[in-house]
């Protein structure tokens, strides 16, 4: 299971080398056929541009929170002007984006009607870039690799990634013990030899291996072919609506898709390799990285056009669709989920919850009714001792959190170390702060940070202190049994 923990202390630097594409979208409506030919007449409503190819990989990495440098070749045209401006806007290091006036910037224009693509027009050159440009790209990428955590080779078969360039960069990354991930194209995968990971889709894998992948045995055979023939450390094949598959110590592992709605699959492969590179650069294991990448792709295909998934969107998706039982989260991770969620009313309350009783359950159920998401801030063991003395808590924080997470009305539990939840409230930004009715007329910590403070009356005669007194009375009561 993927451990949902955000690592804010490290921002990975990832170098992307490959074919940079401008995706041009023409959005329109069509209500009639042309009198000139049996084709639709499209009335244009809107046009926009997005990064595609290696640019889309870079865009996805930025959305996840990485620092990105990109290397590629563009033309001296209008598309190049927009592309460089967009890279600058995203703070993507673009020193390695070189201009070749002899070739156009690769541009794909798509005509969209009612979220459906009806036509695509490509402007591109598939000829290999010049030896001089290749050498300059190599020198820039080599320098960038010194400070990078991972390398991505994004191959769209537009002449950018030659065998020499790929093999030189892969060797450099391997020498520096940095993962190198390749999104391959074509039949000959020898130029990706010794890469850490490759991500062909099923159709690409069939072309490269000559195998018809129609069952698990053939799927494993294709993966083993990549590993044995090209010495790929982690051969992986994306399977569209069936998820993805990879080899783990010779065993076939399949991760099923979790996409609920599919509007557009364009860019999903870019999202997958970006997510894998991000996770491997942070030190996630392969299973964690694949689960995260699978969720990232699911978010992307639920959008129209080349799109990206933010870290918060991926975490929220995993929480909703994949790991619904994982309620106990750290402050940073929960903050990312809440801030990346669709507009929802977040209710927050806090306490020690040392001995959970009916009064607690009633209070939490009433709190949940006030909004969409109920977050319980739980005082840590040290925090409880500071508030209630050295004999408390009775139960460890892990046990108290587990019991709270078992309540249907509780969506998330987060443990905090401070005496008050002020900093936790500041980080999570809830809309409603809930306290017990005994706070009437008292100052409520964090009340200035929320939209509303609600006091809920507690049930008469139900309290942890009263319950503990009763238990202590039973333990201390002298036995009436005669001495034997």
């Amino acid at each position: 299971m993927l451990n949902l923990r955000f690592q804010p202390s490290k921002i990975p630097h990832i170098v992307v080398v490959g074919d940079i594409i401008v995706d041009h979208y023409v959005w329109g409506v069509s209500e009639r056929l042309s009198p000139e030919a049996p084709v639709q007449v499209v009335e244009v409503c809107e046009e926009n541009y997005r990064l595609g190819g290696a640019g889309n990989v870079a865009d996805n990495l930025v959305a996840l929170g990485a620092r990105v440098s990109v290397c590629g070749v563009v033309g001296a045209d209008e598309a190049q002007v927009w592309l460089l401006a967009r890279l600058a806007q995203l703070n993507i290091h673009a020193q390695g984006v070189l201009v070749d006036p002899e070739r156009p910037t690769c541009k794909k224009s798509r005509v969209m009607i009612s979220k459906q693509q009806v036509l695509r027009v490509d402007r591109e050159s598939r000829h290999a870039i010049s030896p001089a440009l290749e050498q300059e790209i190599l020198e820039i990428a080599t320098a960038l690799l010194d400070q990078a955590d991972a390398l991505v080779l994004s191959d769209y078969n537009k002449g950018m990634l030659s065998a020499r360039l790929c093999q030189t960069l892969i060797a450099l990354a391997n020498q520096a013990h940095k993962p190198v991930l390749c999104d391959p194209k074509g039949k000959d995968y020898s130029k990706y030899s010794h890469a850490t990971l490759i991500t062909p889709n099923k159709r690409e894998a069939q072309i490269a291996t000559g195998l018809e992948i129609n069952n698990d045995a053939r799927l494993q055979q294709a993966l083993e072919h990549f590993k044995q023939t090209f010495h790929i450390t982690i051969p992986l094949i994306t399977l569209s609506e069936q998820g993805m598959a990879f080899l783990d110590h010779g065993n076939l592992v399949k991760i099923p898709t979790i996409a609920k709605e599919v509007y557009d699959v364009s860019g999903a492969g870019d999202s997958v390799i970006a997510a894998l590179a991000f996770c491997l650069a942070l030190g996630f294991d392969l299973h964690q990285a694949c689960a995260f990448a699978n969720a990232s792709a699911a978010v992307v295909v639920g959008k129209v056009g080349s799109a990206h998934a933010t870290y918060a969107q991926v975490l929220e998706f995993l929480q909703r669709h994949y790991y619904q039982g994982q309620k106990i989260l750290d402050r940073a991770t929960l903050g990312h989920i809440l801030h990346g969620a669709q507009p929802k009313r977040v209710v927050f309350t806090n306490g020690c919850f040392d001995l959970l009783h009916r009064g607690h359950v009633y209070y939490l159920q009433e709190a949940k009714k006030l909004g969409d998401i109920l977050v319980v801030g739980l005082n840590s063991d040290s925090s409880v001792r500071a508030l209630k003395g050295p004999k408390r808590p009775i139960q460890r924080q892990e046990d108290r959190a587990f019991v709270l997470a078992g309540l249907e009305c509780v969506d998330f539990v987060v443990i905090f170390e401070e005496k008050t939840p002020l900093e936790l409230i500041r980080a999570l930004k809830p809309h409603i702060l809930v306290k017990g009715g005994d706070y009437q007329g008292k100052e409520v910590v964090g009340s200035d940070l929320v939209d509303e403070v609600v006091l809920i009356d507690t049930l008469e005669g139900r309290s942890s202190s009263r319950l503990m007194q009763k238990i202590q009375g039973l333990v201390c009561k002298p036995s009436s049994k005669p001495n034997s």
Side-chain angles (χ1 to χ4, degrees):
M1 176 177 289
L2 176 62
N3 188 14
L4 296 180
R5 293 292 182 267
F6 184 64
Q7 301 181 38
S9 60
K10 180 177 180 181
I11 299 176
H13 176 203
I14 298 172
V15 176
V16 180
V17 182
D19 298 299
I20 305 174
I21 299 170
V22 173
D23 284 330
H24 171 220
Y25 287 86
V26 179
W27 306 87
V29 295
S30 177
E31 298 177 347
R32 59 195 175 96
L33 294 177
S34 170
E36 304 164 359
V39 295
Q40 292 174 285
V41 174
V42 180
E43 297 180 23
V44 177
C45 301
E46 181 185 357
E47 290 186 64
N48 52 46
Y49 296 85
R50 301 174 188 178
L51 291 170
N56 191 33
V57 176
D59 194 359
N60 274 269
L61 284 165
V62 169
L64 292 174
R67 187 161 57 94
V68 184
S69 299
V70 65
C71 297
V73 175
V74 296
D77 48 29
E78 186 178 345
Q80 170 254 345
V81 174
W82 177 88
L83 191 150
L84 292 179
R86 181 58 178 157
L87 293 177
Q89 188 179 25
L90 293 172
N91 293 319
I92 294 173
H93 183 274
Q95 180 189 351
V97 179
L98 307 181
V99 177
D100 181 357
E102 300 300 319
R103 61 193 295 136
T105 301
C106 184
K107 178 180 175 182
K108 299 180 180 180
S109 298
R110 297 173 175 89
V111 179
M112 311 290 293
I113 301 175
S114 300
K115 296 184 178 181
Q116 296 294 320
Q117 183 181 157
V118 298
L119 178 68
R120 194 178 96 180
V121 179
D122 290 0
R123 300 173 180 87
E124 63 184 20
S125 171
R126 295 188 178 185
H127 299 299
I129 62 174
S130 70
L133 281 174
E134 182 180 299
Q135 182 60 35
E136 192 172 353
I137 289 284
L138 179 57
E139 292 172 0
I140 295 171
T142 300
L144 290 170
L145 269 175
D146 286 341
Q147 305 300 321
D149 297 295
L151 169 67
V152 175
L153 301 180
S154 179
D155 196 348
Y156 274 76
N157 200 26
K158 308 300 181 187
M160 170 67 193
L161 290 174
S162 67
R164 172 180 175 267
L165 183 58
C166 288
Q167 282 299 287
T168 304
L169 291 175
I170 289 171
L172 289 170
N174 287 339
Q175 289 171 13
H177 304 290
K178 296 175 181 179
V180 52
L181 299 86
C182 304
D183 189 359
K185 288 293 183 293
K187 292 183 178 181
D188 184 7
Y189 280 20
S190 61
K191 67 178 178 178
Y192 315 114
S193 293
H194 302 283
T196 307
L197 186 148
I198 58 172
T199 60
N201 59 36
K202 182 178 176 180
R203 178 177 173 275
E204 291 167 340
Q206 289 182 148
I207 292 172
T209 61
L211 295 170
E212 183 181 357
I213 303 175
N214 51 15
N215 54 44
D216 285 355
R218 286 291 183 89
L219 180 59
Q220 180 158 356
Q221 188 178 351
L223 291 166
E224 289 174 346
H225 173 81
F226 292 138
K227 188 172 185 67
Q228 295 169 8
T229 305
F230 305 114
H231 310 287
I232 306 298
T233 307
I234 307 168
L236 181 148
I237 297 175
T238 60
L239 303 170
S240 189
E241 70 277 0
Q242 296 178 348
M244 61 180 65
F246 60 92
L247 289 182
D248 183 16
H249 297 94
N251 298 315
L252 177 66
V253 178
K254 294 177 70 176
I255 299 181
T257 185
I258 47 177
K260 301 299 179 183
E261 295 179 298
V262 178
Y263 287 113
D264 191 349
V265 298
S266 61
D270 298 331
S271 176
V272 166
I273 198 167
L276 289 169
F278 180 80
C279 290
L280 294 181
L282 283 175
F284 285 26
D285 67 36
L286 183 57
H287 289 264
Q288 290 176 319
C290 287
F292 186 93
N294 213 16
S296 180
V299 173
V300 167
V301 299
K303 304 177 181 182
V304 178
S306 297
H308 60 238
T310 66
Y311 197 95
Q313 288 170 337
V314 177
L315 288 185
E316 187 199 5
F317 193 96
L318 285 167
Q319 184 63 37
R320 285 190 287 114
H321 297 293
Y322 215 150
Y323 303 122
Q324 296 178 0
Q326 192 163 341
K327 294 183 176 182
I328 306 168
L329 300 175
D330 64 88
R331 181 179 309 188
T333 301
L334 180 54
H336 276 76
I337 291 175
L338 296 180
H339 302 160
Q342 297 297 322
K344 294 176 182 176
R345 295 282 284 175
V346 178
V347 181
F348 176 87
T349 191
N350 67 282
C352 302
F353 298 98
D354 198 0
L355 296 175
L356 198 67
H357 52 73
R358 179 179 176 181
H360 286 143
V361 176
Y362 169 80
Y363 171 81
L364 294 171
Q365 288 175 336
E366 292 300 304
K368 171 66 174 181
K369 294 176 183 177
L370 299 171
D372 304 303
I373 298 174
L374 175 60
V375 177
V376 179
L378 182 66
N379 291 78
S380 69
D381 291 348
S382 60
S383 177
V384 175
R385 282 192 291 270
L387 291 171
K388 297 183 178 291
K391 294 185 178 180
R392 299 285 297 274
I394 303 301
Q395 299 189 86
R396 296 179 304 171
Q397 61 191 40
E398 294 82 5
D399 297 335
R400 291 183 284 126
F402 184 85
V403 172
L404 283 170
L407 297 177
E408 184 178 358
C409 60
V410 175
D411 294 293
F412 297 106
V413 179
V414 55
I415 299 171
F416 66 97
E417 296 288 342
E418 303 85 358
K419 281 189 178 181
T420 75
L422 181 62
E423 292 306 314
L424 181 58
I425 295 170
R426 198 187 307 278
L428 300 183
K429 300 180 177 64
H431 302 94
I432 302 172
L433 177 58
V434 176
K435 300 297 287 186
D438 54 345
Y439 271 80
Q440 188 71 46
K442 299 179 182 178
E443 181 183 357
V444 177
V445 172
S447 59
D448 57 325
L449 301 175
V450 298
D451 299 336
E452 183 181 4
V453 175
V454 177
L455 303 183
I456 295 177
D457 291 332
T458 53
L459 292 180
E460 183 88 22
R462 268 84 176 183
S463 72
S464 295
S465 298
R466 186 183 294 267
L467 189 58
M468 287 186 62
Q469 289 171 0
K470 187 174 181 179
I471 293 172
Q472 289 171 346
L474 291 173
V475 172
C476 298
K477 186 177 180 179
S479 174
S480 59
K481 182 178 180 180
N483 295 329
S484 55

